[in-house]
Amino acid sequence: MSRATTIVQIVRDAYRAEGFLPLHAPVFQGNESAYVQATIESTFVSSVGAYVDQFEAMLREITGASHVIATTNGTTALHMSLLLAGVGRDDLVITQSLSFVATANSIAHAGATPAFVDVDADSYGLSHTALKAFLESECVLTNAGCIHRATGRRVAACVPMHSFGLPARIEEIVEIATAWRISVIEDAAEALGSKIGSRHCGTFGKLGTLSFNGNKIVTTGGGGAIMTNDPELGKRAKHLTTTAKVPHRWRFEHDAIGFNFRLPNLNAALGCAQLEQLDAFIAYKRDLAQRYSEAFAKADIPFVTERPGTTSNYWLCAILLKDLAERDECLEITNEAGVMTRPIWEPLHTLPMFSSAPRGPLEVTQEIASRLINIPSGVLRQPA
């Protein structure tokens, strides 16, 4: 039996299902229809409504963040977080090349340029050792902040990502960045429910962000959120994402250039129903990951697991193949067999718009990109 055929069989056995198996699809089995219908009947379907407030309150309870501001999507959440952290035009923002393009796009939207460093081989999150090496070899700390020697640009922020819901070494990253006077903004788009110890991903840095796209563990259709424990930043985030409108019953007063980034009530209604099922979703996915781990171990195919001391939501499960040729062969055969698999994202430094961005060595990034595939990881809809 070929490795690709083995993968197909393991996935089908883990799900105990035939037919097409998607990579990750939303499941609506709770109060989604009732809450959305209630929103329609209320006529409050845009960015003001009770479900927006409820959605943010539920996220505060789940994540432990003092302030949560719901946004239109994860990209706008990250864009706004960068602005709130003081990132400006021509600044540099350190991030990882092994990430979805929205991470780097958000940096560009803020007028800055990404600077890429490598990831850890066991978490696929930004490597604190690579970060330290980049700062010591490429930057200097001055009265004006951290300056990149080759370009003279200020390094204003660092954006590590918790890839696939696997917690990165964020505590070490924050410690290093703080010493270099660099703000940390966590891209926790994929990490709702993931923790380091008892602390939720996205709550270690100055700000953190979540995504509720249709393929995430919880979806609002689109949607994102900003998290922070800083009351002033929380207040400012809500103000700027709501067109910077000064509260008044009828006047249209705006005191800054604002953004129309607030999540609509209609989407928030869907999100509230989804959050009610979050614990069950995570339990299902962690059980699925355990079945995968045991089966792939027997087949001598490395399955990607959480680091000790961390809890992953296993948003997307992943395996590592021998090399690029085997990866591409398995992608072809598994998808042809009705088991949806995908490679990891193209490393961002290889994309034309970011090809000239500053970077450190990216050996681990290149190695993972040539071998990793994601396998079906969603919650199967249960029979009625």
Side-chain angles (χ1 to χ4, degrees):
M1 184 183 295
S2 71
R3 300 251 286 185
T5 305
T6 298
I7 293 167
V8 170
Q9 191 60 54
I10 288 174
V11 172
R12 294 207 176 279
D13 288 347
Y15 272 103
R16 305 179 183 97
E18 295 299 322
F20 175 70
L21 286 172
L23 194 67
H24 203 291
V27 173
F28 304 122
Q29 291 192 157
N31 292 311
E32 289 89 352
S33 294
Y35 291 175
V36 169
Q37 184 60 37
T39 308
I40 292 170
E41 292 173 2
S42 76
T43 73
F44 285 91
V45 296
S46 293
S47 56
V48 175
Y51 280 114
V52 177
D53 296 336
Q54 181 180 334
F55 186 62
E56 291 174 338
M58 293 175 78
L59 285 171
R60 289 196 298 272
E61 178 68 23
I62 289 165
T63 65
S66 300
H67 304 274
V68 174
I69 301 88
T71 65
T72 50
N73 53 58
T75 305
T76 55
L78 194 51
H79 178 188
M80 178 54 60
S81 294
L82 288 160
L83 298 180
L84 290 165
V87 173
R89 185 160 301 279
D90 295 329
D91 283 341
L92 289 183
V93 176
I94 296 174
T95 192
Q96 57 203 71
S97 178
L98 201 69
S99 182
F100 182 56
V101 70
T103 306
N105 282 348
S106 300
I107 294 168
H109 294 163
T113 298
F116 299 116
V117 302
D118 218 347
V119 296
D120 284 330
D122 58 352
S123 73
Y124 306 159
L126 189 144
S127 167
H128 69 286
T129 56
L131 172 63
K132 186 172 186 289
F134 180 84
L135 291 171
E136 290 179 349
S137 65
E138 304 293 334
C139 302
V140 61
L141 191 57
T142 73
N143 291 334
C146 178
I147 303 299
H148 184 245
R149 289 193 184 95
T151 62
R153 294 184 177 189
R154 179 177 71 120
V155 179
C158 176
V159 181
M161 181 186 182
H162 300 286
S163 304
F164 307 143
L166 299 166
R169 287 181 171 83
I170 190 64
E171 292 167 299
E172 293 89 337
I173 291 168
V174 169
E175 182 179 1
I176 293 167
T178 300
W180 283 79
R181 293 164 53 192
I182 297 169
S183 297
V184 174
I185 301 161
E186 290 175 74
D187 186 345
E190 302 168 358
L192 180 65
S194 297
K195 298 177 181 180
I196 299 172
S198 61
R199 190 169 173 181
H200 198 284
C201 291
T203 64
F204 291 83
K206 182 186 287 287
L207 299 128
T209 64
L210 296 167
S211 170
F212 305 103
N213 189 36
N215 65 349
K216 296 301 190 294
I217 190 168
V218 158
T219 184
T220 59
I226 300 166
M227 300 179 289
T228 184
N229 290 319
D230 185 317
E232 289 304 314
L233 285 178
K235 181 180 179 181
R236 188 70 175 162
K238 189 168 184 177
H239 184 59
L240 289 179
T241 56
T242 318
T243 68
K245 185 179 183 296
V246 178
H248 193 279
R249 285 195 299 160
W250 63 81
R251 289 178 182 164
F252 289 96
E253 294 185 29
H254 305 264
D255 59 7
I257 297 175
F259 299 80
N260 190 13
F261 281 176
R262 288 287 277 159
L263 183 72
N265 199 40
L266 196 65
N267 298 80
L270 186 68
C272 288
Q274 288 271 284
L275 286 178
E276 291 174 347
Q277 304 166 79
L278 177 61
D279 287 347
F281 289 165
I282 292 176
Y284 182 103
K285 290 164 71 63
R286 287 184 61 79
D287 182 65
L288 174 66
Q290 182 61 36
R291 295 198 297 273
Y292 273 154
S293 181
E294 293 170 0
F296 281 114
K298 292 176 182 177
D300 196 28
I301 299 174
F303 176 75
V304 179
T305 59
E306 64 198 9
R307 293 186 295 110
T310 69
T311 303
S312 175
N313 65 11
Y314 284 105
W315 171 61
L316 281 187
C317 294
I319 56 176
L320 289 168
L321 298 168
K322 293 178 181 177
D323 51 32
L324 182 63
E326 185 180 67
R327 185 205 74 168
D328 289 347
E329 178 187 26
C330 286
L331 286 168
E332 181 72 31
I333 294 173
T334 53
N335 282 284
E336 186 66 27
V339 171
M340 188 175 178
T341 60
R342 288 292 184 269
I344 201 169
W345 320 280
E346 289 293 325
L348 299 181
H349 73 279
T350 68
L351 302 180
M353 58 281 200
F354 301 122
S355 61
S356 61
R359 71 194 65 155
L362 298 169
E363 286 87 353
V364 177
T365 294
Q366 299 282 30
E367 171 74 7
I368 292 169
S370 69
R371 297 175 55 205
L372 185 142
I373 65 171
N374 291 117
I375 56 179
S377 309
V379 177
L380 274 195
R381 184 178 180 88
Q382 302 301 308

